[in-house]
Amino acid sequence: MATTTPAMVFQKKGFSKKLLLKLHEDLLRPRMIEEKMLILLRQGRISKWFSGIGQEAISVGATNALLEDEYIFTMHRNLGVFTSRRLPLERMFAQWQGKMSGYTKGRDRSFHFGAPEQNIVGMISHLGPQLALASGVALANKLGQEGRVSLAFTGEGGTSEGDFHEALNTAAVWQLPVIFVIENNGYGLSTPTSEQYRCENLADRALGYGMRSVVIDGNNILEVYDTFNKLAKELRKNPEPVLVECRTFRMRGHEEASGTKYVPQEYFDEWGQRDPLDNFEQFLLDEKVLTTKKIESLRAQIKTEIEEGLELAFAEAPITADIEQELQDVYAPWTPTPAPAGEERREIRFVDAISDGLRTGMQRHDQLILMGQDIADYGGVFKITDGFVAEFGKERVRNTPLCESAILGIGLGLSIKGWKAMVEMQFADFVSVGFNQIVNNLAKIHYRWGQTADVVVRMPTGGGVGAGPFHSQANEAWFFHVPGLKMVYPSTPEDAKGLLLAALDDPNPVLFFEHKGLYRKITAPVPEGYYTTEIGKANLVQAGETLSIITYGLGVHWAREAAEELGMDVDILDLRSLLPLDYDAIAATVKKTNKALVLHEATLLGGIGAELSAYISQHLFEHLDAPVVRVASLDTPVPFAANLEKAFLPQERLREQMVILRDY
Ligand SMILES: Cc1ncc(C[n+]2csc(CCOP(=O)(O)OP(=O)(O)O)c2C)c(N)n1
């Protein structure tokens, strides 16, 4: 339970009359909108409502203290941010009704939207991931020397998430100008603060991150405004993060349907006395800044605004689904200009080709930032960024704390500000701790409200190196099922460089799988300078008649070896891209050989092979002379001992299945 403070005292402190009146109007507008929403909810005219009644002073005070071009990252009780920045009411109402003129074309609900024109970025349901995005915008502000802060809200419940820790820690280590605001409103759904955290003040956690913090009365609009105004001014000059804990109370249920039975009545009585709007209004009346008549006319004006906005929103027809449009908006539009390779080539290893691609990408994109563990002076565990600091500097080649989720979120934050990011997973296995940012934030943000996620995630992947269950996984199938991502998986040095450069150009989130087993094993002539390998285009690496092996990554090399060993004349199709898939190339090879074998290193069940097999069976059935065969790793974790790993990997089974399919 948040502790209460004595009766509210306003310090007039030379606030201009204009500002006092603006703060009052900005407090009144969200209150009146909410009161209307509660009526509409009872009438069954809207479906859900998360109330911020009683907490408005935090949103309103903080927003007014910021400059209009400073980004604010909102949660579900921050209507006051949106109204203070004067979003058109009819668009917000249309958003809540799932109408076309809302902020997400009916694709997301409530406050889950961004308003790019007003520099507001709304939450995703998972709460915590939002915080790192603010750190990302703050990083862009710092690198661009913009003298601007960003601000992110969280509830006290959200502070228990790992994302809170990661975002604050990284912001502190990198001294980013971001204000993290905790709205401590006593309950997270039905969970009181005593069951949420053990410390006295959440703000005290800042000490552990090496940050400044402050606890304030979140119901006192002047205290809120004054605090944020002062902090924002300081941070614009001297970048650093701060944590502000605002004490307040949630005066209604978590959302309207969930009730408040679990909250003792005395809390409502006590905090009801401390209402931010009533108290401030009384203060302004006492100070003769405002009159009851002025309040009445302001109320009438806002009432008309609300009614007019609602009328427009209700009059708008319900959305009709245009499936083509729905599919099209999953990705940011992107038509790359073809960039063929030049004549000049150099014989290099797979690992050097990646390094070369990354270096060329850095030279090409001034605003490309590399982030990853140990990638700076140390050069990365695989030495791919060796020497990069000397060439591009530490600002652009950034060592990160062990915070995968925050770093991916920071990548998205950079993208919001028009920068590009490459995030290196030290091993692809570790992406599991950044999974949420990839599948829920990066992947969905363009479809939801048109924001690009210009982030490439490099994934040193795969087994055969005796590294056991947590340094060997081929985990592409985890992401294959997620609309909004692109996935590439080169098998040759030339494609590794070309696909990496294409991925860095592309404004969409691209997962770049690079097989560790190929790093130092294969060498090939790689074109010098900038060129791209088109994403979404497979490559027939070997032509034959007996059957088609459709594969990618290390599978391409296994297929070549097996075909040679068996003396079998096969088509080998290297997919190169897994998202999007090159269905034309798949169809062409199947139509030619009439027998398809899908091969991958990842485990069998629910793998990419299952999808390819289903596709071929359904769409190319009449061209098949045999069932589609899948060859993959065993459905076990990747084992450590060499003999176990050999049995796990599909190389031996590949030979057997090729013979069976040939003789079918
Ligand atoms: C990762 C995750 N777990 C659970 C939920 C369900 N949930 C939504 S809001 C909420 C409580 C949040 O409390 P707090 O952060 O204090 O914000 P408040 O609602 O009090 O403003 C919960 C448990 C969720 N949205 N995301």
Side-chain angles (χ1 to χ4, degrees):
M1 177 53 214
T3 49
T4 57
T5 46
M8 211 176 293
V9 180
F10 291 98
Q11 305 283 347
K12 220 174 144 195
K13 273 196 190 166
F15 289 109
S16 70
K17 184 174 171 185
K18 193 172 158 210
L19 177 62
L20 292 172
L21 290 175
K22 166 95 170 45
L23 292 175
H24 172 255
E25 180 178 339
D26 284 356
L27 274 180
L28 184 58
R29 187 170 282 103
R31 176 68 58 90
M32 288 183 67
I33 291 173
E34 284 222 37
E35 284 166 354
K36 184 70 184 177
M37 290 302 134
L38 297 181
I39 294 168
L40 293 176
L41 194 70
R42 281 196 287 277
Q43 293 171 345
R45 299 188 76 195
I46 57 166
S47 64
K48 215 175 178 72
W49 189 255
F50 292 88
S51 174
I53 286 181
Q55 300 182 211
E56 298 98 330
I58 305 168
S59 296
V60 171
T63 307
N64 273 281
L66 258 56
L67 302 172
E68 285 194 350
D69 60 356
E70 289 181 318
Y71 274 82
I72 303 184
F73 292 77
T74 51
M75 302 303 287
H76 46 294
R77 304 192 200 284
N78 297 125
L79 174 60
V81 173
F82 296 87
T83 48
S84 296
R85 288 218 166 151
R86 293 310 195 101
L87 269 70
L89 294 190
E90 64 276 14
R91 272 199 85 185
M92 281 203 290
F93 296 147
Q95 163 67 21
W96 299 329
Q97 292 175 19
K99 299 271 173 75
M100 194 59 168
S101 68
Y103 284 85
T104 61
K105 300 184 186 168
R107 292 168 186 168
D108 206 342
R109 65 182 201 184
S110 63
F111 290 97
H112 300 188
F113 65 93
E117 284 161 26
Q118 285 83 11
N119 302 310
I120 299 173
V121 176
M123 66 191 292
I124 63 166
S125 294
H126 298 65
L127 314 167
Q130 182 77 337
L131 297 165
L133 272 56
S135 298
V137 165
L139 176 59
N141 286 339
K142 187 172 177 179
L143 293 175
Q145 298 179 343
E146 295 190 33
R148 292 288 183 270
V149 303
S150 60
L151 182 148
F153 289 97
T154 176
E156 84 288 347
T159 66
S160 300
E161 292 186 38
D163 274 312
F164 173 83
H165 166 76
E166 291 197 11
L168 269 68
N169 184 55
T170 310
V173 172
W174 290 355
Q175 288 290 280
L176 303 177
V178 49
I179 306 177
F180 296 104
V181 189
I182 304 168
E183 294 191 75
N184 191 342
N185 65 4
Y187 285 84
L189 216 156
S190 76
T191 305
T193 53
S194 59
E195 293 177 32
Q196 192 69 251
Y197 59 86
R198 183 76 179 158
C199 49
E200 192 184 338
N201 301 310
L202 281 168
D204 295 344
R205 289 190 180 171
L207 192 62
Y209 302 117
M211 279 168 62
R212 283 197 289 154
S213 70
V214 58
V215 184
I216 62 168
D217 178 358
N219 282 26
N220 184 326
I221 182 77
L222 295 188
E223 189 173 333
V224 174
Y225 175 85
D226 201 39
T227 304
F228 285 94
N229 187 38
K230 199 163 140 277
L231 288 173
K233 279 185 176 155
E234 288 169 10
L235 267 54
R236 284 176 202 130
K237 281 214 181 84
N238 300 308
E240 63 166 330
V242 291
L243 179 62
V244 182
E245 178 177 355
C246 298
R247 294 291 172 86
T248 185
F249 195 68
R250 199 190 69 204
M251 293 300 287
R252 303 197 63 85
H254 169 63
E255 47 94 23
E256 285 306 311
S258 61
T260 54
K261 271 198 186 127
Y262 46 87
V263 182
Q265 182 57 39
E266 70 214 57
Y267 293 168
F268 290 116
D269 299 340
E270 205 175 296
W271 282 91
Q273 297 295 314
R274 312 195 66 259
D275 182 83
L277 176 62
D278 294 350
N279 279 282
F280 190 53
E281 222 167 60
Q282 192 54 53
F283 166 73
L284 295 181
L285 288 169
D286 293 346
E287 293 287 325
K288 310 225 178 315
V289 175
L290 204 52
T291 61
T292 40
K293 211 165 148 215
K294 274 194 191 151
I295 296 174
E296 273 162 29
S297 76
L298 182 59
R299 279 186 169 271
Q301 176 209 314
I302 296 174
K303 187 166 182 274
T304 310
E305 280 173 27
I306 295 172
E307 276 164 6
E308 286 174 358
L310 278 172
E311 204 174 318
L312 284 170
F314 277 122
E316 188 176 334
I319 272 183
T320 48
D322 173 347
I323 288 177
E324 209 172 297
Q325 188 70 50
E326 291 303 293
L327 291 170
Q328 200 177 312
D329 285 354
V330 168
Y331 292 122
W334 174 241
T335 318
T337 318
E343 290 298 308
E344 211 182 319
R345 284 167 187 254
R346 198 161 48 101
E347 182 90 10
I348 53 174
R349 298 171 303 175
F350 192 86
V351 71
D352 305 320
I354 296 170
S355 184
D356 198 21
L358 209 50
R359 181 179 288 106
T360 309
M362 286 291 273
Q363 288 159 352
R364 185 173 157 74
H365 303 287
D366 289 343
Q367 288 190 303
L368 171 61
I369 303 300
L370 309 185
M371 295 181 284
Q373 287 146 26
D374 311 292
I375 70 163
D377 294 321
Y378 188 69
V381 291
F382 298 109
K383 300 295 167 206
I384 284 173
T385 49
D386 207 13
F388 276 43
V389 169
E391 190 171 348
F392 304 107
K394 267 197 154 170
E395 296 286 28
R396 291 184 67 202
V397 185
R398 306 185 74 87
N399 269 348
T400 70
L402 250 155
C403 295
E404 280 81 359
S405 183
I407 302 308
L408 288 159
I410 286 172
L412 181 51
L414 285 170
S415 180
I416 288 169
K417 286 282 293 175
W419 293 62
K420 281 178 178 285
M422 186 293 299
V423 180
E424 175 180 307
M425 291 294 128
Q426 201 156 66
F427 285 79
D429 308 68
F430 304 142
V431 78
S432 51
V433 289
F435 189 71
N436 192 39
Q437 289 287 17
I438 295 178
V439 303
N440 283 318
N441 243 339
L442 298 174
K444 296 181 175 56
I445 203 162
H446 187 267
Y447 175 75
R448 291 170 57 238
W449 56 275
Q451 170 62 50
T452 50
D454 200 345
V455 181
V456 173
V457 186
R458 283 193 28 247
M459 305 272 279
T461 195
V465 287
F470 306 113
H471 287 78
S472 307
Q473 292 171 87
N475 51 13
E476 63 273 13
W478 296 355
F479 302 96
F480 186 58
H481 193 58
V482 183
L485 300 175
K486 294 191 179 181
M487 284 169 44
V488 296
Y489 204 143
S491 73
T492 67
E494 178 170 355
D495 285 348
K497 180 175 170 184
L499 282 170
L500 183 55
L501 282 164
L504 292 169
D505 284 352
D506 196 314
N508 290 286
V510 186
L511 302 189
F512 185 89
F513 290 89
E514 45 192 70
H515 202 292
K516 306 188 294 283
L518 295 177
Y519 275 166
R520 291 170 171 81
K521 200 168 165 201
I522 58 167
T523 307
V526 170
E528 296 277 43
Y530 171 72
Y531 69 95
T532 56
T533 303
E534 190 181 343
I535 294 178
K537 283 274 175 284
N539 184 26
L540 191 69
V541 296
Q542 183 172 313
E545 300 295 332
T546 311
L547 53 88
S548 301
I549 301 180
I550 302 168
T551 186
Y552 52 92
L554 191 53
V556 175
H557 301 274
W558 289 337
R560 274 183 186 278
E561 285 161 19
E564 195 180 326
E565 218 176 282
L566 297 170
M568 210 185 278
D569 169 34
V570 299
D571 249 16
I572 299 176
L573 185 69
D574 177 0
L575 289 170
R576 303 198 286 195
S577 292
L578 301 178
L579 283 175
L581 274 169
D582 188 346
Y583 290 107
D584 291 344
I586 294 167
T589 183
V590 173
K591 284 179 187 171
K592 177 180 161 198
T593 68
N594 313 112
K595 287 181 179 177
L597 185 153
V598 184
L599 167 68
H600 55 64
E601 177 180 339
T603 52
L604 184 79
L605 194 75
I608 311 269
E611 179 61 31
L612 293 173
S613 166
Y615 179 83
I616 296 166
S617 306
Q618 185 176 347
H619 298 283
L620 300 163
F621 185 67
E622 68 273 28
H623 300 284
L624 290 175
D625 289 342
V628 181
V629 173
R630 284 182 296 152
V631 180
S633 286
L634 290 183
D635 284 313
T636 68
V638 189
F640 161 61
N643 286 342
L644 293 183
E645 192 176 23
K646 193 161 174 253
F648 166 83
L649 292 170
Q651 270 170 291
E652 283 312 310
R653 289 186 294 283
L654 171 64
R655 284 160 176 72
E656 289 160 23
Q657 292 299 324
M658 283 169 71
V659 171
I660 293 172
L661 190 58
R662 178 192 64 195
D663 299 341
Y664 192 86

